[in-house]
Amino acid sequence: MSDEIESLIRREYQAGFITNIESETLPPGLNEDVIRIISGKKNEPEWMLEWRLEAYRKWREMDVPQWAHLQHPPVDFDAISYYSSPKSKDDAPKSLDEVDPEILETFEKLGIPLHERAKLAGVAVDAVFDSVSIGTTYKDELAKAGVIFCSISEAVHEHPELIRKYLGSVVPQQDNFYAALNSAVFSDGSFVYIPKNTRCPMELSTYFRINELNTGQFERTLIVADEGSYVSYLEGCTAPMRDENQLHAAVVELVALGDAEIKYSTVQNWYPGDENGKGGIYNFVTKRGVCDGANSKISWTQVETGSAITWKYPSVILRGDNSIGEFYSVALTNGYQQADTGTKMIHMGKNTKSTIVSKGISAGRSQNAYRGLVRISPRAEGARNYTQCDSLLIGDQCGAHTFPYIENKNPDAILEHEATTSKVSDDQLFLCRQRGIDEEKAVSMIVNGFCKEVFKELPMEFAVEAGKLLEVSLEGAVG
Amino acid sequence: MMTPNELKQQAQQRLQQQTSLEWLSLPAKAQATFAELDMPTRKTEAWKYTPLTALLNNTYLEQTAEGAVDESAAADRVGQLGDVSRLVFVNGRLHPNLSSYSDLENQGVITLFSNANDAQRELINAELGTAFEPQQHVFAALNYGSIDEGVLIQAPTDFKVQQPIQLVYLSTSEGQSALAQSRVLVYGAAGSSLELIEQYDSLGDTNVFHNHMTEISLQANARLTHMRLQMEHESLSHVNGLHVKLADGSHYEQHALAFGSALKRNDINVNFNGSNAYCRLNGVFLSKHKQHIDNHLNLEHGVPHCNSDTVYKGFITDSSRAVFNGRIHIHKHAQKTEAHLNNKNLLLSKQAELDTKPELEIYADDVKCSHGASIGKLDDKSLFYFQSRGIDRATAEAMLCLGFVNEMVEQFPNEAVIDLARQRLAEFFNDVDKLNHLWTLE
Amino acid sequence: MSKTPLLEVKDLVAAVDGKTILNGISLTVYPGEVHAIMGPNGSGKSTLSNVLAGREDYEVVSGSVTFKGNNLFELEPEERAREGIFLAFQYPVEIPGVSNMQFLKASVDAVRKHRGLEELDAPTFMKLAREHCKELKLKPEFLKRGVNEGFSGGEKKRNEILQMALLEPSLALLDETDSGLDIDALQVAAEGVNALRNEERGLIVVTHYQRLLNYIVPDYVHVLADGKIVKSGGRELALELEEKGYSWIQ
């Protein structure tokens, strides 16, 4: 399978994508014509174009959100090209062998070189390279089970009834500034539909890779789990090192109908910028799921180690009675990274339950904030929330922050929130070193232990990857 | 209903009145600040959960409240704390007949701004308005922009003030809706110690907006025990700023009991300016009917080796609304800080709402910080324990509510204050016959 | 000995969260008798006490319980307490802010009122409470503290015995009163219980270990396994169990 996906990526990359790029280049800036061109290139039906234009008009009226604990120069939305356009042909690697050796080295360190990634047994992969879906493995097996797993562009043509029904149903076009922008210009992404009473026969995975320069990346993912179905979905992201900041504004929508369960796991390792804070991805992502039917469940697990800026709040609207929302997060920041991330749990149905476990690790000169909202509506009898936010600081130049908002309108609800802050203690370090473990390894062991509660929620292959990722990301944080 | 802008214009007129304390430098500064500020709206983060409806629906700011009062009724209300030095303010104005503080006045511990000597004027000019950031609070600017009187409480170096000082702010029903303002500056010189009781109270319905500021500056190793009872009638609106500066080794302890009202908002800022200082903030707030109560606590740990402990409990029922916001801010060099904050709430009605927002903002690594918040109903296990001992459910519920509140009240470091608080709590709980006797069983 | 049973449990089946824990228990206790119920962890010992005291989480599926000839299940927990059922909890809950004295007074007042007795005035009550404290080797300050708040394991158990002494129940259920106690604390608690033994009062002692029964000597011993009484006998059964272990029964 690894050979299959690798050759797939290679082939598309060489034969299709690169050669066509020059003719697809659009000048920077955004207006209705640009949207018409994007839609036209994808040969979209009229309703899709109208939906994009509507989003664009709303976006123009909106302001950039300022409330997050983040500092960065304003993004110049007129300087971004909204359709893939490399700086020059020479700059783009012609095969994976030509990818910047530092990137490959990073993967080697992770123990998951690109050609091995696809080895994950029993995982169907949709590879998205520079926002264009390259191809999907295991399509036939999935089709037998009635599962639809394809790129969202394909779904617009093949399954318009599902797209029209669910696209924007969880994250409306005007939900927030970045979601509106995404709705106007989204390039590609994955679409998943699990039919009634079906357990998806394998893990589904999308592997996102940003490669090109000066291009905004706007994926859109939509997962619909029909009544009584189950799916586990994995998302991995990496990007090469560029001196310029790149904008990534994705939208993920999850719909779980009655008795359905969606488990969504992310290992995000977008390029965080160099040791001086130069470059890196601006990651402004809207992820939200709705537990629409009774007894449904949505679980978000994320390990975030990348991006220069992270602005991301995977949320669950608990509309169905007895529905369950979970958020397990590890966010590690190092260097000059800034993260403002957390979740929203909106309890609307009776006996809805949510669990939030957030582990933030700050190192270097980074700033790491948890921001969360738990809201209990008057009719959410018996609602329960438990929130635990722990921060670990490594070094005295970084910051760790916790901003929970807890709003309760139901006397029958029980909510608990706890947050702690600590550092890697000298005693812990000394014990490790006395036993012959060097300091860097010791810190990484301690950090791994700190994150254990979240890692155990990840599918096995990802848990291993996540642990190694932390180790790599922490390099240079000690001493 | 006025717009926030109209409210601001009304307030502006209060500022234009001449102050008789021409030596004070703060009013001019505060007036300039006020002019630049907007009235908060729901989009202002610090006022997200605080509607200004009560202020916009009344014409409080059209006139300043008068200081007349039924003296015998007032005397009953203010005279329950026994042996104290007492200053009583009626609608923000000192009422000499109800007050008795001549001993401490003669010792120079208590001084009205209007009686301040040169040294005291200098102290007031140097200290007043420094502990807060007026740009963040339009009502503080309004208060400081229109100072016509104030109280300076000054504990001299190494002086232990034996008698507690009781400040009573009484709001009355006399006249139409009006504004009452007051302010206190407490200066604890090095090594001094002081016990201060602030009692906010009223005689019946009161159509007053009370805008109050307390500023506290504790020098090295000074100690202040500060009790605050906000027990006014629910018709009142009250915005209160408490700003504390702590120098090396100083010790500040606050115990608060507060009932909700049309609008009640408490902002507390504590600034750690010297190391080894300690701050305890204990509080319990209760709201019922359609009351509103807001608590905003902010602990600025700016230096190393300081500790703070904060515990606030909320009791919310009927159609009332309560807000808690507690922020611990550890600055970059404030290593070896230990700061903990906890907010526990009982929400008992379907029409009520509680919003809580504890915050940690931490820029130093060698610190121990935590916060916790919980919202819940009465504990089933505890109720069963009561029932299994023959106590009926209604009584069990009432006792658990009282116990929830009493856990904070019994920590007040003054027996007379505890008694007063319990008496008023019994009235609040409206269950005097059944439960009042329980307080006496200790 | 009177011929009217104090408590009569017949074919009791009870469940927690839909899971059957008691699977047909029958047990009769006459006034003056001490019954020990022993069993391994998970056998349903605590469930039986909780069902008798009326805990809501425990669902009675079938069977009957009569107490002094009346259907126990028609009574609210507080009514059972007033009628004379006392449960000494295995894990007494902590209630900060409510002083032990307030709690005891409210409880004794409620029970006395039900029995047609005068409420005790505060000084009389306090005197009585202090006397009992002394017997149980509890300091008087103990009464001022929040109910069980910060009490050691031994103090919590003695506080239960103190309440039992004040409420003078006709049937006391001791739920693992020995758990978590060292030998000295165990003796004090047992002496407290023994002082309350009389011709009228029934006692059900639930325990995992034989040890407690050296101090509170039972008339009958029942062994519970998987929600059923699998063996009944006299005092000697407990000793035999200790020697052979619960596996002997199963």
Side-chain angles (χ1 to χ4, degrees), chain B residues 66-94:
Chain B
E66 298 295 327
V69 70
D70 172 347
E71 278 188 31
S72 68
D76 287 346
R77 207 64 168 160
V78 307
Q80 294 178 34
L81 296 187
D83 189 21
V84 292
S85 292
R86 181 167 62 233
L87 284 84
V88 177
F89 299 84
V90 176
N91 294 336
R93 296 163 196 270
L94 183 74

Side-chain angles (χ1 to χ4, degrees), chain B residues 379 381-382 384-393 399-400 403-404 406-407 410 437-439 441-442, chain C residues 54-55 77-78 81-82 86-87 89 93 95-99 102-103 105-107 110 126 144 148 160 163:
Chain B
D379 175 45
K381 270 189 195 154
S382 302
F384 181 67
Y385 194 66
F386 276 82
Q387 287 178 283
S388 75
R389 296 297 177 257
I391 300 168
D392 66 81
R393 192 167 173 107
M399 283 183 76
L400 279 177
F404 178 81
N406 187 46
E407 198 189 0
E410 67 189 5
H437 75 277
L438 293 171
W439 297 118
L441 277 177
E442 277 301 310
Chain C
R55 183 110 199 222
E78 63 267 33
R82 292 170 195 172
F86 180 90
L87 169 62
F89 287 81
V93 65
I95 308 172
V98 176
S99 85
Q102 289 171 9
F103 175 69
K105 175 88 162 69
S107 167
M126 274 146 90
K144 292 187 186 172
N148 294 320
E160 296 292 290
Q163 293 172 34

Side-chain angles (χ1 to χ4, degrees), chain A residues 25-296:
Chain A
T25 302
L26 286 178
L30 186 56
N31 53 47
E32 296 202 3
D33 288 341
V34 169
I35 290 166
R36 285 176 208 283
I37 293 169
I38 293 172
S39 186
K41 283 189 187 300
K42 299 165 100 45
N43 202 18
E44 285 178 354
E46 187 64 22
W47 58 265
M48 194 67 248
L49 172 63
E50 278 309 315
W51 196 82
R52 287 175 181 273
L53 289 171
E54 204 182 315
Y56 171 73
R57 287 165 199 148
K58 285 170 177 165
W59 176 73
R60 288 197 52 183
E61 304 296 312
M62 297 173 82
D63 296 322
V64 178
Q66 299 291 353
W67 41 260
H69 193 274
L70 299 170
Q71 283 179 326
H72 57 89
V75 177
D76 182 354
F77 292 94
D78 287 328
I80 295 170
S81 170
Y82 293 85
Y83 206 82
S84 170
S85 76
K87 190 165 71 181
S88 82
K89 217 172 159 183
D90 299 338
D91 192 51
K94 296 194 174 44
S95 77
L96 283 170
D97 297 337
E98 289 177 32
V99 171
D100 190 327
E102 276 190 77
I103 306 165
L104 289 179
E105 198 184 316
T106 306
F107 286 123
E108 292 293 342
K109 279 183 183 172
L110 295 173
I112 38 161
L114 205 49
H115 58 275
E116 274 188 22
R117 171 172 285 271
K119 264 191 180 169
L120 304 174
V123 181
V125 179
D126 182 27
V128 176
F129 202 80
D130 276 342
S131 292
V132 175
S133 179
I134 310 286
T136 310
T137 61
Y138 283 118
K139 252 188 151 154
D140 295 345
E141 281 93 323
L142 291 171
K144 270 183 227 157
V147 171
I148 303 170
F149 181 34
C150 63
S151 75
I152 202 136
S153 307
E154 197 180 328
V156 168
H157 292 285
E158 306 291 327
H159 309 284
E161 70 296 341
L162 289 171
I163 297 293
R164 293 187 79 161
K165 184 168 179 188
Y166 291 111
L167 189 73
S169 69
V170 188
V171 180
Q173 291 146 301
Q174 73 281 12
D175 186 79
N176 67 70
F177 183 85
Y178 298 107
L181 179 61
N182 175 286
S183 301
V185 303
F186 72 86
S187 37
D188 215 335
S190 303
F191 172 72
V192 176
Y193 172 79
I194 315 291
K196 278 184 191 174
N197 302 319
T198 303
R199 191 176 171 91
C200 186
M202 61 191 77
E203 307 255 7
L204 303 183
S205 173
T206 297
Y207 173 55
F208 291 105
R209 177 156 180 83
I210 296 180
N211 195 56
E212 294 307 337
L213 188 67
N214 291 339
T215 312
Q217 305 292 335
F218 308 96
E219 302 94 33
R220 185 121 196 158
T221 301
L222 173 61
I223 299 178
V224 180
D226 212 326
E227 289 169 16
S229 68
Y230 169 85
V231 62
S232 168
Y233 186 91
L234 324 174
E235 175 193 77
C237 331
T238 56
M241 304 178 187
R242 303 276 189 196
D243 284 348
E244 290 77 15
N245 296 115
Q246 283 177 283
L247 177 64
H248 176 249
V251 170
V252 176
E253 295 179 277
L254 310 183
V255 180
L257 301 179
D259 298 302
E261 178 176 350
I262 302 174
K263 187 170 170 59
Y264 195 106
S265 313
T266 303
V267 173
Q268 184 264 105
N269 185 28
W270 295 124
Y271 179 50
D274 69 10
E275 62 273 22
N276 298 313
K278 196 168 185 198
I281 304 287
Y282 285 180
N283 195 30
F284 299 106
V285 173
T286 304
K287 290 185 167 178
R288 191 176 305 151
V290 57
C291 284
D292 213 33
N295 309 312
S296 55

Side-chain angles (χ1 to χ4, degrees), chain C residues 36-41 43 45 205-211 213-214 218 220-225 228-250:
Chain C
I37 295 185
M38 301 184 68
N41 292 329
S43 58
K45 303 191 297 287
V205 182
V206 174
T207 182
H208 186 92
Y209 300 105
Q210 198 283 134
R211 185 178 74 156
L213 305 182
N214 290 336
Y220 302 96
V221 174
H222 311 277
V223 182
L224 206 58
K228 275 188 170 161
I229 291 177
V230 290
K231 204 168 176 63
S232 295
R235 163 92 181 93
E236 66 291 345
L237 179 57
L239 295 167
E240 201 172 350
L241 261 179
E242 181 175 55
E243 198 180 311
K244 297 180 177 169
Y246 283 112
S247 52
W248 167 62
I249 293 296
Q250 287 155 337

Side-chain angles (χ1 to χ4, degrees), chain C residues 3-219:
Chain C
K3 282 291 165 199
T4 322
L6 195 54
L7 180 78
E8 211 168 2
V9 181
K10 277 189 189 158
D11 302 323
L12 179 62
V13 177
V16 182
D17 288 336
K19 194 180 162 214
T20 303
I21 308 284
L22 296 184
N23 212 348
I25 299 258
S26 296
L27 176 71
T28 305
V29 179
Y30 287 92
E33 288 179 356
V34 176
H35 291 245
I37 295 185
M38 301 184 68
N41 292 329
S43 58
K45 303 191 297 287
S46 286
T47 301
L48 179 61
S49 333
N50 278 298
V51 166
L52 294 178
R55 183 110 199 222
E56 276 166 14
D57 316 354
Y58 295 79
E59 185 203 347
V60 175
V61 179
S62 61
S64 69
V65 177
T66 49
F67 177 64
K68 296 179 179 170
N70 298 317
N71 180 358
L72 187 69
F73 296 142
E74 284 176 359
L75 303 178
E76 292 296 317
E78 63 267 33
E79 293 170 326
R80 299 182 196 194
R82 292 170 195 172
E83 284 292 330
I85 288 187
F86 180 90
L87 169 62
F89 287 81
Q90 184 180 2
Y91 302 109
V93 65
E94 297 193 11
I95 308 172
V98 176
S99 85
N100 216 6
M101 188 65 109
Q102 289 171 9
F103 175 69
L104 293 173
K105 175 88 162 69
S107 167
V108 170
D109 283 352
V111 171
R112 285 183 67 94
K113 194 175 165 197
H114 181 75
R115 294 177 190 165
L117 300 168
E118 288 271 302
E119 277 190 15
L120 296 175
D121 62 40
T124 312
F125 178 76
M126 274 146 90
K127 189 161 167 277
L128 183 68
R130 288 203 188 100
E131 278 167 15
H132 282 292
C133 271
K134 204 172 166 190
E135 281 165 22
L136 289 161
K137 299 191 169 58
L138 291 165
K139 291 185 181 140
E141 294 87 75
F142 179 82
L143 293 167
K144 292 187 186 172
R145 291 163 63 183
V147 178
N148 294 320
E149 189 189 3
F151 289 10
S152 69
E155 283 176 329
K156 280 183 182 165
K157 296 296 168 73
R158 277 183 279 165
N159 195 30
E160 296 292 290
I161 307 298
L162 170 68
Q163 293 172 34
M164 178 175 157
L166 286 167
L167 294 178
E168 301 178 340
S170 31
L171 177 68
L173 313 161
L174 306 184
D175 190 3
E176 309 227 12
T177 295
D178 50 334
S179 70
L181 295 189
D182 64 28
I183 200 74
D184 293 333
L186 182 67
Q187 281 182 11
V188 174
E191 278 167 24
V193 173
N194 285 327
L196 294 166
R197 284 180 75 161
N198 65 26
E199 291 286 296
E200 302 301 319
R201 191 165 286 148
L203 208 58
I204 297 177
V205 182
V206 174
T207 182
H208 186 92
Y209 300 105
Q210 198 283 134
R211 185 178 74 156
L212 177 66
L213 305 182
N214 290 336
Y215 300 96
I216 304 172
V217 180
D219 301 310

Side-chain angles (χ1 to χ4, degrees), chain B residues 357-406:
Chain B
K357 187 186 162 203
E359 294 175 69
L360 288 173
E361 207 171 325
I362 296 173
Y363 298 91
D365 63 332
D366 194 5
V367 299
K368 283 185 191 154
C369 296
S370 70
H371 71 212
S374 64
I375 308 174
K377 48 183 181 175
L378 294 172
D379 175 45
D380 285 339
K381 270 189 195 154
S382 302
L383 282 171
F384 181 67
Y385 194 66
F386 276 82
Q387 287 178 283
S388 75
R389 296 297 177 257
I391 300 168
D392 66 81
R393 192 167 173 107
T395 307
E397 286 175 358
M399 283 183 76
L400 279 177
C401 290
L402 287 182
F404 178 81
V405 174
N406 187 46

